[in-house]
């Protein structure tokens, strides 16, 4: 009898311990916040020392900062840096980050982990001196369990080693450091697994959407657990959301995937024009307590691809006007502030793009979130190469060991983004002509399909004079064939392989019309992605035009320093849209119908020459000193049948601008100061017009902020455009004044002018204007007023105020 009582008592005690372990809450009986912002109060030291991992290290002399952070952009671009032209000649090297934080006693019994959205590269994370994991690939998000190493109720130390010293490892500017957000995850031992929710729109019929939600629930206790998964699909405030509950019996250290089907009445579909978003709220609970709450955004939409109908979004045919982008943010380097990533998407949308390819790596979560919110379609790409290297230390060196982890991480992390329509498994693979490439492509594609069978798989292929039809077996391993610069083969390829779905994954900017024309003609061609949508750091000199006396050749043929970036983008590093951007947008969109620009005349000493990715330097300018009376070429892009050109009120004639003229007219006229005006003609009548005016001498500074109010969180940004004008406010497109910046209430995060031959520091209090413009990026740091004053010798100074508030 005594033994039986003891046995019962033991069971009760074990049960009570179990309840305490699983149901633990704060003193206020509230759930601990599952995902906590962990960007603040880090310390940084450039260089390497083994003792940097130890918790008792004296780091009082280390630099204090908040992440995200890129140490490379803080350094000087110099001709002999090992990163070379690929890396923009920026310094790389090794660095360490440390953060000390107190872990509350009540977290004991929870699963505490740290989640890094991206660290470039070869990172190793230490907790209280213990190594918890390594992540070589700098574009993969990753999470480590800290629980076994933490001291509860005491101070704890995280140390992160970052090694970007092996150069070259990337063909573009990578940046160095903890360049994306960091989060502390605090989860009950019974919880929804990280990346454990998958949402799929199964069908949309009769104004009803059938939505499937798969949820992985994990039991990390040592005992069986009986819990309830309660799931709701939310969109409209005030309306009762579709709701489902499932009972789960979980064995110790077991995880289960639960499938629930929801019917959403009158669904608000996600589209490019109306990017409506829903939320899945997943709650793990018992009869009396909530254990875990997880939220997942998604969009209700359908995608279909075929050689007959092309790409259909919600049943509607969409032609993809796409652009490739790298991950850097210009003057910020690789630093992925949420606002910087959002602005990038805003610029792409404003430039008329409806799709983007994240060449050649998974982007930040903030970028994809912005694509979801703003309505931009995405090709999400895994890496640049497979087993054969392009650079000595690139992904080929770790492919066999890490490809599965990195590909699966990309798909699991990103699969709920409605903006993503295609997965890409590589770019211009070196071994593409070899039989083993077919097996590698099949292996990668199947790994993606095992997780997400709802989207097609592609990779970007090219020939570089190796033949083209020899790639048929490799293309057959993809759902969509990605063509880099090879769309001229599409029609003959279609005759040979009628079922092939084609997308041009890279193209030369100069071929905009030819590619648009093929896309319009054939449904089996989904669209065209230009290289590139935006200028970027690294791959120095691609897209350049060559003045007489400058070194000739493509960007890979020589060290072209001080060139430290790429000028092949439609949008430059200040956010200014080049004329090619207006032309491309006009081809695909109806909101822009007429545009006026002037081709830069050849210098007296010789002719300008173009490289492969270049277009002729063309400017929104009618200010051409020393050109009076000389012939100059004026370009008008127009969707009107004809355009008429005026100079100082005089009619200089009209020209057709139909499809036969590729929607362009070129007028060669003697230059004369004044006003140049182009007018669209419709049935002989003048419609809208565009004007360029000659600027006088530089006199004023004009400041324009992209937002008047930002959040006071040491993360939010405001972009201030600087323009140098004459007394009448007309931009002087030739101004190159040295500008000085004085700021209070905020911090200068970066400065730029879009001149990729100006290698001055991006984090500075001055910048030389280029073509009359410059850009200042200001980061908030406290509540109050941010005041910026810009001065330049001989110009009237200008100032601007921005409000920085705690909540926005």
């Amino acid at each position: 009898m005594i033994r039986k009582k003891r046995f019962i008592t033991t069971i009760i005690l074990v049960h009570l311990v179990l309840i305490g372990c699983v149901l633990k809450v704060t003193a206020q009986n509230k759930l601990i916040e599952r995902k906590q912002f962990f960007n603040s109060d880090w310390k940084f030291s450039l260089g390497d020392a083994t003792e940097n991992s130890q918790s008792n290290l004296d780091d009082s002399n280390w630099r204090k900062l908040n992440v995200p952070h890129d140490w490379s952009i803080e350094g000087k671009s110099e001709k002999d840096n090992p990163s070379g032209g690929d890396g923009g000649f920026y310094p790389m090297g090794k660095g360490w980050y440390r953060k000390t934080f107190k872990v509350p006693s009540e977290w004991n019994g929870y699963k505490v982990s740290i989640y890094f959205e991206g660290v470039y590269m070869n990172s190793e994370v230490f907790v209280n001196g213990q190594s918890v994991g390594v992540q070589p690939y700098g574009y993969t998000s990753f999470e480590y369990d800290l629980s076994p190493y933490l001291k509860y109720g005491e101070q704890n130390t995280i140390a992160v080693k970052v090694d970007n010293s092996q150069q070259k490892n990337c063909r573009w500017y990578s940046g160095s450091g903890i360049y994306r957000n960091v989060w502390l995850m605090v989860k009950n031992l019974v919880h929804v697994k990280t990346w454990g929710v998958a949402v799929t729109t199964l069908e949309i019929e009769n104004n009803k959407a059938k939505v499937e939600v798969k949820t992985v629930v994990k039991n990390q206790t040592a005992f069986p657990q009986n819990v309830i998964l309660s799931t709701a699909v939310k969109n409209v405030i005030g309306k009762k959301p579709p709701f489902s509950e499932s009972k789960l019996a979980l064995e110790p250290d077991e995880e289960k995937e639960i499938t629930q089907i929801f019917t959403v009445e009158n669904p608000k579909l996600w589209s490019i024009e109306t990017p409506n978003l829903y939320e899945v709220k997943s709650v793990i609970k018992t009869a009396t307590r909530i254990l875990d709450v997880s939220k997942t955004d998604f969009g209700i939409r359908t995608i279909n691809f075929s050689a007959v109908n092309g790409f259909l979004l919600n049943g509607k045919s969409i032609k993809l006007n796409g652009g490739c982008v790298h991950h850097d943010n210009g003057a910020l380097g690789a630093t992925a502030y949420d606002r910087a990533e959002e602005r990038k998407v805003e610029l792409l949308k404003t430039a008329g793009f409806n799709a983007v390819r994240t060449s050649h790596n998974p982007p930040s979560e903030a970028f994809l979130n912005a694509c979801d919110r703003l309505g931009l379609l995405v090709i999400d790409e895994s890496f640049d190469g497979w087993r054969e290297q392009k650079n000595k230390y690139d992904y080929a060196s770790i492919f066999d060991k890490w490809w599965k982890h990195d590909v699966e991480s990309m798909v699991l992390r990103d699969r709920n983004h409605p903006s993503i329509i295609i997965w890409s498994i590589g770019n211009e693979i070196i071994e593409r002509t070899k039989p083993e490439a077919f097996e590698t492509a099949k292996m990668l594609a199947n790994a993606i399909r095992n997780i997400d069978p709802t989207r097609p798989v592609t990779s970007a292929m090219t020939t570089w004079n190796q033949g083209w039809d020899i790639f048929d077996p490799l293309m057959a391993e993809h759902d969509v064939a990605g063509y880099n610069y090879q769309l001229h083969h599409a029609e003959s390829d279609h005759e040979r392989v009628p079922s092939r779905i084609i997308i041009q994954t890279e193209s030369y900017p100069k071929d905009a019309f030819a590619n648009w024309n093929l896309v319009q003609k054939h449904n089996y061609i989904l669209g065209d992605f230009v290289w590139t949508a935006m200028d970027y750091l690294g791959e120095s000199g691609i897209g350049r035009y060559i003045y007489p006396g400058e070194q000739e050749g493509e960007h890979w043929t020589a060290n072209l320093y001080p060139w430290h970036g790429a000028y092949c983008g439609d949008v430059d590093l200040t956010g200014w849209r080049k004329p090619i951007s207006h032309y491309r947008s006009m081809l695909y969109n109806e909101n822009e119908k007429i545009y006026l620009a002037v081709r830069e005349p050849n210098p007296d000493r010789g002719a300008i020459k173009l490289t492969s990715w270049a277009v002729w330097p063309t400017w929104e300018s009618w200010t051409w000193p020393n050109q009076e009376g000389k012939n100059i070429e004026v370009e008008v892009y127009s969707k009107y049948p004809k355009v008429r050109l005026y100079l100082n009120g005089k009619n200089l004639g009209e020209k057709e601008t139909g499809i036969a003229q590729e929607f362009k007219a070129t007028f060669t006229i003697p230059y004369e100061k004044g006003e140049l005006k182009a007018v669209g003609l419709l049935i002989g009548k003048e419609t809208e017009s565009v004007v360029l005016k000659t600027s006088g001498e530089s006199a004023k500074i004009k400041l324009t902020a992209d937002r008047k109010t930002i959040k006071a969180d040491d993360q939010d940004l405001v972009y201030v455009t600087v323009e140098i004008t004459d007394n009448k406010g007309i931009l002087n497109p030739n101004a190159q004044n040295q500008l000085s910046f004085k700021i209070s209430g905020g911090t200068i995060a970066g400065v730029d002018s879009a001149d990729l031959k100006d290698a001055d520091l991006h984090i500075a209090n001055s910048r030389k204007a280029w073509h009359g413009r410059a850009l200042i990026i200001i980061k908030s740091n406290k509540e109050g007023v941010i005041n910026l004053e810009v001065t330049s010798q001989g110009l009237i100074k200008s100032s601007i105020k921005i409000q920085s508030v705690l909540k926005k």
Side-chain angles (χ1 to χ4, degrees):
M1 186 69 179
I2 293 173
R3 286 181 180 178
K4 187 173 182 181
K5 284 182 178 179
R6 286 177 178 172
F7 179 68
I8 293 171
T9 303
T10 302
I11 292 176
I12 292 170
L13 287 171
V14 168
H15 187 61
L16 289 172
V17 169
L18 173 60
I19 291 174
C21 181
V22 177
L23 304 184
K24 197 166 199 176
V25 292
T26 64
Q28 293 76 27
N29 203 31
K30 293 181 180 179
L31 280 174
I32 297 173
E33 187 178 359
R34 175 185 167 107
K35 187 176 182 181
Q36 302 183 19
F37 202 56
F38 211 58
N39 281 4
S40 301
D41 302 321
W42 289 80
K43 293 183 177 181
F44 172 71
S45 176
L46 189 61
D48 187 23
T50 54
E51 62 268 21
N52 289 350
S53 65
Q54 299 305 307
S55 57
N56 60 355
L57 178 78
D58 181 5
D59 57 14
S60 58
N61 291 325
W62 286 32
R63 176 183 168 194
K64 296 178 181 179
L65 53 74
N66 295 340
V67 298
H69 171 244
D70 171 14
W71 79 68
S72 291
I73 199 65
E74 297 175 343
K76 185 80 169 66
S77 174
E78 293 181 316
K79 185 174 184 177
D80 296 325
N81 272 333
S83 64
D86 288 356
F89 302 99
Y90 283 93
M92 302 298 175
K94 299 178 182 179
W96 281 82
Y97 297 84
R98 290 169 59 88
K99 179 180 170 78
T100 300
F101 65 107
K102 186 175 181 180
V103 178
S105 299
E106 58 264 30
W107 288 10
N108 193 3
Y110 280 82
K111 185 62 63 175
V112 182
S113 60
I114 191 167
Y115 179 85
F116 292 90
E117 293 188 11
V119 181
Y120 202 91
M121 61 175 298
N122 292 318
S123 64
E124 184 172 8
V125 178
F126 300 82
V127 181
N128 295 327
Q130 299 293 311
S131 176
V132 296
V134 296
Q135 172 61 50
Y137 191 42
Y139 300 111
T140 292
S141 300
F142 57 97
E143 181 179 14
Y144 297 135
D145 181 12
L146 308 183
S147 305
Y149 313 99
L150 293 176
K151 296 178 287 187
Y152 295 92
E154 301 179 37
Q155 295 291 329
N156 292 258
T157 300
I158 299 274
V160 183
K161 179 183 178 180
V162 185
D163 184 354
N164 194 17
S165 62
Q166 293 182 311
Q167 294 296 318
K168 300 175 181 177
N169 58 57
C170 195
R171 294 188 305 111
W172 56 93
Y173 177 86
S174 65
S176 306
I178 304 176
Y179 69 105
R180 294 178 181 168
N181 292 326
V182 185
W183 303 88
L184 199 65
M185 311 291 286
V186 186
K187 293 172 279 191
N188 195 285
L189 294 183
V190 181
H191 58 266
V192 175
K193 191 177 180 180
T194 299
W195 304 339
V197 176
V199 189
T200 305
T201 303
L202 299 177
E203 64 179 24
I204 302 172
E205 281 187 0
N206 301 320
N207 216 20
K208 294 180 181 180
K210 185 179 288 186
V211 176
E212 176 189 77
V213 180
K214 292 184 176 181
T215 309
V216 177
V217 180
K218 193 167 187 176
N219 171 22
Q220 291 190 287
T221 73
F223 304 96
Q225 300 291 334
N226 293 299
V227 296
I228 299 167
L229 168 64
S230 176
T231 307
V233 176
K234 302 174 69 177
N235 175 259
V236 181
I237 296 174
K239 290 189 177 181
K240 187 176 182 180
F243 175 81
S244 178
E245 287 193 343
S246 301
K247 294 182 179 180
L248 289 84
L250 296 165
E251 293 300 314
D253 205 30
E254 181 188 19
E255 63 181 50
K256 284 184 178 179
E257 183 178 75
I258 298 89
T259 300
Q260 298 167 309
I261 305 295
F262 298 85
T263 298
V264 180
E265 304 274 355
N266 303 311
K268 293 187 174 183
L269 303 187
W270 187 95
S271 68
I272 297 168
E273 299 81 14
T274 56
N276 296 299
L277 291 174
Y278 283 73
E279 178 190 88
V280 165
K281 184 177 181 181
S282 309
V283 178
I284 309 298
K285 62 183 182 179
T286 66
T288 58
R289 295 289 179 89
I290 292 175
L291 310 182
D292 185 47
V293 178
S294 176
K295 297 177 181 180
T296 305
D297 291 336
F298 75 101
I300 296 176
R301 57 101 173 105
T302 60
I303 55 173
N304 299 97
F305 299 82
S306 72
V308 175
N309 297 317
F311 169 56
L312 304 179
L313 177 62
N314 301 325
K316 177 184 175 183
S317 177
I318 302 289
K319 298 291 188 178
L320 298 177
N321 175 28
C324 300
V325 297
H326 277 311
H327 71 292
D328 74 87
N329 284 304
L332 299 174
T335 311
Y337 293 111
D338 287 2
R339 173 56 191 158
E341 301 291 77
E342 179 183 59
R343 178 178 179 266
K344 185 186 294 184
V345 177
E346 290 173 352
L347 292 173
L348 291 169
K349 289 279 288 186
T350 299
F353 292 106
N354 62 14
V356 63
R357 172 179 169 229
T358 67
S359 44
H360 306 291
N361 52 265
S364 73
E365 294 177 45
F367 181 82
L368 292 175
N369 290 338
C371 291
D372 291 345
R373 289 194 308 272
L374 300 175
L376 187 68
L377 302 169
V378 178
I379 298 177
D380 197 350
E381 192 154 273
S382 55
F383 25 63
D384 189 31
W386 298 344
R387 292 188 176 91
E388 293 194 19
Q389 63 183 210
K390 300 177 182 179
N391 280 324
K392 185 176 181 180
Y393 299 106
D394 66 12
Y395 196 79
S397 62
I398 61 170
F399 180 86
D400 284 321
K401 183 176 180 180
W402 286 92
W403 74 264
K404 193 171 191 295
H405 165 82
D406 291 330
V407 167
E408 289 180 349
S409 295
M410 175 185 76
V411 179
L412 288 169
R413 188 197 75 167
D414 296 347
R415 59 185 168 176
N416 293 315
H417 289 281
S419 56
I420 297 174
I421 56 171
I422 299 174
W423 303 109
S424 174
I425 55 175
N427 173 67
E428 297 177 358
I429 304 305
I430 297 296
E431 63 266 39
R432 56 188 174 270
T433 61
K434 299 178 180 179
E436 54 264 34
F438 314 152
E439 294 304 314
T440 303
K442 182 186 294 185
M443 175 183 75
L444 294 168
N446 286 339
I448 288 176
R449 295 175 187 130
N450 287 340
I451 299 171
D452 177 25
T454 70
R455 296 175 176 92
V457 175
T458 191
S459 70
M461 288 175 272
T462 194
T463 169
W464 304 144
N465 302 316
Q466 293 174 298
W468 188 240
D469 56 358
I470 63 171
F471 296 114
D472 285 354
L474 180 57
M475 290 186 182
E477 299 300 335
H478 300 75
D479 305 304
V480 174
Y483 285 30
N484 277 13
Y485 312 101
Q486 305 298 319
L487 200 61
H488 54 281
H489 291 297
E491 292 178 328
S492 58
D493 286 358
H494 181 68
E495 291 180 8
R496 189 176 70 256
V497 190
S499 61
R500 180 178 296 171
I501 305 169
I502 297 170
I503 188 168
Q504 184 153 245
T505 36
E506 289 182 26
S507 66
Y508 296 113
K510 61 190 175 186
D511 293 336
F513 176 82
N515 293 325
W516 170 84
N517 203 24
L518 283 169
V519 170
Q520 302 309 305
K521 283 182 179 179
H522 305 296
N523 284 343
Y524 58 83
I525 303 175
L526 304 181
D528 174 43
F529 286 70
V530 68
W531 190 268
T532 52
M534 306 179 76
D535 288 349
Y536 55 96
L537 299 177
E539 206 164 7
S540 304
I542 186 174
R544 72 188 180 115
Y545 41 89
I546 304 166
Y547 290 112
E550 292 184 337
Q551 180 155 355
E552 297 187 15
E554 299 290 348
H555 59 282
W556 65 81
T557 61
N559 184 319
L560 297 174
Y561 186 85
W563 277 95
H564 57 280
Y567 198 68
C568 51
D570 279 18
V571 180
D572 76 14
L573 289 182
T574 67
W576 178 72
R577 293 177 61 193
K578 303 174 190 177
I580 184 63
S581 169
H582 294 271
Y583 179 65
R584 187 185 319 282
S585 179
M586 196 176 295
L587 293 174
Y588 287 89
N589 302 298
E590 295 301 321
N591 61 327
E592 213 171 347
K593 291 191 174 182
I594 189 167
Y595 179 81
L596 175 63
V598 179
R599 287 167 63 93
E600 185 173 327
N602 284 312
D604 292 337
R605 62 185 186 277
I608 295 171
K609 296 181 180 180
L610 301 182
T611 54
S612 295
W613 280 266
V615 295
W616 194 270
T618 308
W619 308 98
E620 294 173 352
S621 171
W622 195 239
T623 305
W624 298 97
N626 304 316
Q627 294 296 318
E628 286 82 356
K630 297 179 182 179
N631 280 344
I632 199 164
E633 292 183 313
V634 176
E635 289 191 342
V636 184
Y637 314 147
S638 171
K639 279 293 189 73
Y640 292 102
K642 289 184 178 182
V643 293
R644 184 176 293 153
L645 191 69
Y646 291 91
L647 178 56
N648 294 326
K650 182 181 178 182
N651 184 349
L652 300 183
E654 56 190 55
K655 291 192 176 186
E656 293 183 349
T657 50
I659 192 169
Q661 292 78 33
E662 301 183 4
F663 306 112
K664 283 185 182 181
T666 302
F667 295 82
T668 302
I669 63 173
Y671 175 69
E672 176 186 312
K673 293 180 181 179
E675 180 182 277
L676 185 71
K677 181 168 75 170
V679 184
L681 301 178
L682 187 61
I683 319 176
K685 294 184 178 181
E686 293 191 354
T687 56
E688 63 179 306
S689 63
V690 284
V691 171
L692 296 175
K693 295 181 179 180
T694 303
S695 171
E697 292 296 320
S698 298
K700 298 179 179 180
I701 298 172
K702 179 182 177 182
L703 302 179
T704 306
D706 67 337
R707 296 184 299 162
K708 295 180 180 179
T709 304
I710 63 173
K711 291 178 286 187
D713 60 359
D714 203 47
Q715 296 283 321
D716 205 3
L717 306 172
V718 59
Y719 287 75
V720 180
T721 300
V722 184
E723 294 177 304
I724 298 173
T725 74
D726 65 8
N727 277 318
K728 296 179 180 179
I730 300 171
L731 175 76
N732 184 347
N734 304 314
Q736 299 184 54
N737 301 62
Q738 188 72 34
L739 302 163
S740 296
F741 314 128
K742 184 179 179 181
I743 189 169
S744 62
T747 303
I748 293 178
V751 297
D752 211 331
S753 68
D755 182 1
L756 290 165
K757 290 186 282 187
D758 182 350
D760 282 352
L761 290 171
H762 283 291
I763 301 176
N765 293 317
S766 65
R767 193 73 176 183
K768 189 177 182 180
W770 191 60
H771 288 284
R773 292 186 179 87
L775 178 72
I776 310 163
I777 308 169
I778 299 170
K779 184 174 68 167
S780 66
N781 55 24
K782 61 181 180 180
E783 188 177 18
V785 177
I786 298 172
N787 187 72
L788 172 68
E789 182 181 275
V790 181
T791 59
S792 182
Q793 187 174 359
L795 304 182
I796 300 172
K797 69 179 180 182
S798 183
S799 62
I800 192 170
K801 296 182 186 298
I802 298 100
Q803 294 292 325
S804 181
V805 298
L806 290 177
K807 290 185 178 181
K808 178 176 178 290

